[in-house]
Amino acid sequence: MMMMMMMGLARSNLNMKQRLLRLCYYWVSLIPQLLRLLQMLCFKFNHFPWNRKGNTITLPQTFSLPSPLPQWPQGQGFASGIVNLGEIEVCKVTGFEFVWNSNIGKPVAFYKPVRIPDGFRILGHYCQPSDKPLRGFVLGVREVETASSETSNCHTLPALKNPLDYMLVWCSNAGSKELPIGSAYFWVPQLPEGYSALGYLVTNVPDKPNLDEMICVRADLTDKCEPYRLMLDAAPVTPEFPFQVWNLRPRDRGMLGEGVSVGTFFCTSCWNKGEELPVVCLKNLNPVLPAMPRLHQIHALIEHYGPTVFFHPEEAYLPSSVDWFFNNGALLYRKGVSTGETIDAAGSNLPGGGRNDGEFWIDLPSDDRRDFVKHGDLKSAKLYVHVKAALGGTFTDVAMWVFCPFNGPSTLKIGITSRAFSKVGEHVGDWEHFTLRICNFTGELWSIYFSQHSGGKWVDAYELEYIDGNKAVVYSSKNGHASYPHPGTYLQGSSKLGIGIRNDATRSHLYVDSSIQYELVAAEYLGDVVREPQWLQFMREWGPKIVYDSKTELDKIMNALPRGLRNAFGNLIKKLPVELYGEEGPTGPKEKNNWIGDERW
């Protein structure tokens, strides 16, 4: 009997241990759910997701180009690390210390610049998406010891001054009585009279920053800037405490623009679009532009970075050089005259200057060479290079133009089906381009602009494909020759509705290496060093005006559809690009608004 009781007690203890073990497993399994619940509670009571500073936060991986930068040829201030703006000079600060991270919408992280060179002061803190490589910068600034008489405005006020105080713009626990660990506080400097702010500071404690934490700049040394990319928007989540963070760019951009991007951000809880910003950017008042590359440095940059341009394997209308086009029978037409005039190889008989007034245009040969010239000549093809200052001479834009004698017909995509047009989309003469933006502080490739018909976009260096060292890849679309950073099918129209003109891009044995096959045609800041060809001064159209009989082709597509889909298709047609119905002949590079102005971004 006693033995049976002892055995029962042992079984009872065993069952108890099993039950305790199961209970432990159960609670362990709840940990992920409890953590998610804790995050939700933090958000509810603090109104804003936060990450605390500490070992749990790691900086995003920094980006480096595939190959080390070469030793650039010496000459003036290019790639010297410092750019002289007149009374002040700036350096690029790329060392950062994490401050705070937001997870509303796309995650955004805020950083404090560190490892600032001796004598330089920062103008504000930095922010960027958390899921991108850490590759930004903010400028450090210091006064030039002896400003030249050309750049000095004979002011009695110093160029730089500490703020008088700071004002709190917003904090992450807005509306909460408690101050949770990991909160963020955004501060704007209070300005001495005659000075401007160029950025904000972010702290994770409610104490005001030290007055020497940042510097203000005399107002006449600054320029207006504008917000252009919304980084963070808390308003949809906390409408009672709205808050937005934007990237900044100079308002005055392009080849002649003096505005210098500082790398800081704009934040606000009460700003309406169109209003002047409380922060500004710097202005380059040094007319010499000492950080811009000299002629020998330009060639070194192109040889090091010049992309390889791949054309589609089925491309029938390839590029050529301009002189090949002229040598093979291209004609100059004058309004009111039925016959065309032969153009010499240099284009010296083309009328230069003026405006696109419709008085002249270029066309293909009128004899049996017409179809031959349409298809171009890849062996003669080259990239025509225009080098110009960007962002106040702190960057260099290397615009590379490619010429094709003919632009082929378009292909319409409707859902999963495609229909090639026989004529629609064709035109004589096609000028396309892409632009390399190079940092003048280091000579590093910063981004490439890919021109795509009537628009385009900048792509950061870490998102590019590379083929040989630091040479990027550019994909030219079939027939239309728009440029893209990656292979694929790109839709010009409505991607949401799945209808538009196809732009197919991929690699093939058809390519042009712009690091070798190029001609420098313009660099205005160098004066008379680069001689512009006569054909570049032709401001009229490189092809006659075309009106397409697109209605006939579209009607054929519509009649082939089931009756119930025809009305819907008719509505979709209205969303197609206007180029579908006819085109003016394209003008040359110098007539484009981005020749002097900035790219569309």
Side-chain angles (χ1 to χ4, degrees):
M1 186 70 172
M2 181 64 69
M3 181 64 69
M4 292 176 64
M5 291 177 64
M6 292 178 65
M7 290 176 63
L9 183 61
R11 282 197 297 271
S12 177
N13 289 337
L14 182 60
N15 291 338
M16 180 65 73
K17 290 180 180 179
Q18 289 175 339
R19 284 196 293 272
L20 288 172
L21 191 58
R22 290 195 193 101
L23 188 61
C24 288
Y25 284 141
Y26 172 74
W27 283 109
V28 168
S29 68
L30 289 178
I31 288 176
Q33 299 178 51
L34 291 171
L35 287 174
R36 284 194 292 271
L37 179 61
L38 179 61
Q39 287 178 327
M40 292 174 63
L41 289 172
C42 287
F43 177 79
K44 179 178 180 181
F45 291 108
N46 296 328
H47 296 283
F48 214 80
W50 52 266
N51 284 330
R52 63 177 299 171
K53 182 179 176 182
N55 295 331
T56 58
I57 296 297
T58 57
L59 294 180
Q61 184 177 2
T62 56
F63 170 80
S64 296
L65 290 167
S67 298
L69 295 185
Q71 183 66 47
W72 301 112
Q74 297 299 303
Q76 289 202 333
F78 176 73
S80 67
I82 294 175
V83 176
N84 184 296
L85 304 182
E87 289 190 55
I88 57 176
E89 54 188 13
V90 291
C91 69
K92 192 171 72 168
V93 180
T94 57
F96 294 109
E97 177 184 286
F98 174 81
V99 178
W100 186 72
N101 187 68
S102 160
N103 289 318
I104 282 187
K106 294 182 179 179
V108 178
F110 296 83
Y111 300 92
K112 173 183 177 180
V114 295
R115 299 194 297 277
I116 302 161
D118 291 341
F120 285 89
R121 302 284 299 281
I122 66 164
L123 299 162
H125 284 181
Y126 171 74
C127 81
Q128 70 159 57
S130 302
D131 57 352
K132 302 292 184 183
L134 186 58
R135 189 175 177 254
F137 68 91
V138 294
L139 294 186
V141 60
R142 72 182 178 190
E143 292 191 50
V144 175
E145 292 183 5
T146 54
S148 69
S149 58
E150 291 183 4
T151 58
S152 175
N153 289 316
C154 301
H155 275 274
T156 56
L157 295 174
L160 307 173
K161 224 173 196 182
N162 281 350
L164 301 175
D165 199 357
Y166 294 98
M167 182 177 70
L168 184 65
V169 177
W170 191 86
C171 61
S172 62
N173 62 313
S176 174
K177 294 181 180 179
E178 298 181 2
L179 300 178
I181 297 174
S183 294
Y185 302 84
F186 290 75
W187 306 91
V188 65
Q190 299 298 285
L191 305 170
E193 185 176 355
Y195 290 81
S196 297
L198 291 91
Y200 298 79
L201 298 184
V202 186
T203 65
N204 42 37
V205 293
D207 303 326
K208 289 183 180 181
N210 294 327
L211 293 180
D212 60 359
E213 190 81 10
M214 69 185 302
I215 200 74
C216 304
V217 180
R218 203 175 66 229
D220 63 293
L221 304 178
T222 68
D223 210 350
K224 292 180 180 179
C225 59
E226 62 185 22
Y228 75 103
R229 279 182 192 159
L230 183 62
M231 301 286 288
L232 171 64
D233 187 7
V237 181
T238 59
E240 68 276 26
F241 299 104
F243 183 65
Q244 292 182 330
V245 177
W246 297 76
N247 271 340
L248 288 170
R249 65 181 181 185
R251 186 180 297 179
D252 181 20
R253 300 186 305 280
M255 186 171 76
L256 305 178
E258 296 179 330
V260 173
S261 181
V262 177
T264 56
F265 58 87
F266 164 58
C267 63
T268 180
S269 58
C270 57
W271 174 77
N272 297 312
K273 287 187 178 181
E275 294 179 353
E276 290 293 330
L277 301 187
V279 289
V280 294
C281 63
L282 291 174
K283 180 187 288 188
N284 190 349
L285 296 174
N286 189 340
V288 179
L289 297 178
M292 290 294 294
R294 304 296 101 184
L295 183 62
H296 62 298
Q297 294 167 329
I298 289 174
H299 289 297
L301 289 168
I302 295 173
E303 290 165 10
H304 185 77
Y305 289 125
T308 298
V309 185
F310 283 100
F311 295 87
H312 194 277
E314 299 174 9
E315 180 62 73
Y317 305 103
L318 291 163
S320 76
S321 65
V322 170
D323 58 339
W324 180 91
F325 179 57
F326 293 162
N327 280 330
N328 282 275
L331 298 172
L332 172 66
Y333 283 86
R334 180 191 295 265
K335 187 177 180 180
V337 180
S338 60
T339 58
E341 176 187 348
T342 301
I343 306 171
D344 65 43
S348 60
N349 57 325
L350 292 173
R355 58 186 179 85
N356 183 24
D357 53 11
E359 290 295 319
F360 298 90
W361 65 90
I362 296 174
D363 203 350
L364 295 166
S366 57
D367 54 24
D368 56 3
R369 292 176 294 177
R370 186 176 182 87
D371 189 64
F372 167 72
V373 172
K374 274 186 179 182
H375 296 285
D377 180 66
L378 196 62
K379 290 182 180 179
S380 72
K382 61 179 72 171
L383 278 296
Y384 296 99
V385 179
H386 176 212
V387 182
K388 57 181 180 176
L391 300 176
T394 55
F395 285 81
T396 295
D397 276 1
V398 180
M400 293 188 156
W401 294 85
V402 61
F403 172 72
C404 296
F406 197 74
N407 190 95
S410 302
T411 297
L412 179 65
K413 187 176 186 298
I414 309 170
I416 61 173
T417 64
S418 295
R419 172 70 179 265
F421 290 112
S422 59
K423 294 288 185 182
V424 174
E426 290 186 345
H427 59 80
V428 176
D430 191 25
W431 280 103
E432 300 289 346
H433 80 286
F434 53 89
T435 299
L436 283 65
R437 178 155 288 178
I438 294 168
C439 175
N440 288 347
F441 292 96
T442 60
E444 180 183 5
L445 175 66
W446 199 252
S447 56
I448 294 181
Y449 180 83
F450 292 83
S451 175
Q452 298 153 5
H453 306 295
S454 57
K457 69 174 185 176
W458 285 103
V459 177
D460 290 323
Y462 57 78
E463 295 179 311
L464 299 171
E465 289 184 25
Y466 295 90
I467 192 171
D468 178 18
N470 294 332
K471 295 181 174 70
V473 175
V474 174
Y475 294 92
S476 179
S477 65
K478 180 185 175 184
N479 286 359
H481 312 128
S483 57
Y484 295 93
H486 305 287
T489 297
Y490 300 86
L491 204 60
Q492 184 190 5
S494 174
S495 56
K496 183 178 180 180
L497 297 172
I499 181 171
I501 301 301
R502 288 181 63 127
N503 289 272
D504 296 300
T506 189
R507 292 197 190 192
S508 74
H509 66 287
L510 305 171
Y511 64 88
V512 176
D513 182 353
S514 69
S515 69
I516 300 171
Q517 296 168 260
Y518 74 92
E519 179 182 337
L520 182 61
V521 295
E524 291 89 343
Y525 71 93
L526 290 177
D528 297 329
V529 173
V530 178
R531 183 178 179 183
E532 298 183 4
Q534 176 62 26
W535 58 258
L536 189 60
Q537 319 308 320
F538 182 68
M539 309 303 282
R540 276 81 172 189
E541 294 167 352
W542 287 65
K545 181 178 180 179
I546 297 176
V547 178
Y548 303 125
D549 186 15
S550 54
K551 185 177 185 303
T552 301
E553 294 202 54
L554 292 171
D555 284 346
K556 291 179 181 178
I557 297 173
M558 186 177 296
N559 292 333
L561 294 172
R563 188 176 299 274
L565 296 178
R566 293 178 187 177
N567 287 338
F569 177 76
N571 292 330
L572 293 176
I573 290 299
K574 298 175 183 178
K575 300 182 180 295
L576 290 175
V578 294
E579 293 92 338
L580 191 68
Y581 306 104
E583 293 205 34
E584 298 283 348
T587 53
K590 208 165 186 178
E591 180 68 10
K592 310 294 187 186
N593 56 16
N594 61 308
W595 181 269
I596 292 178
D598 197 9
E599 304 287 2
R600 303 181 185 96
W601 59 303

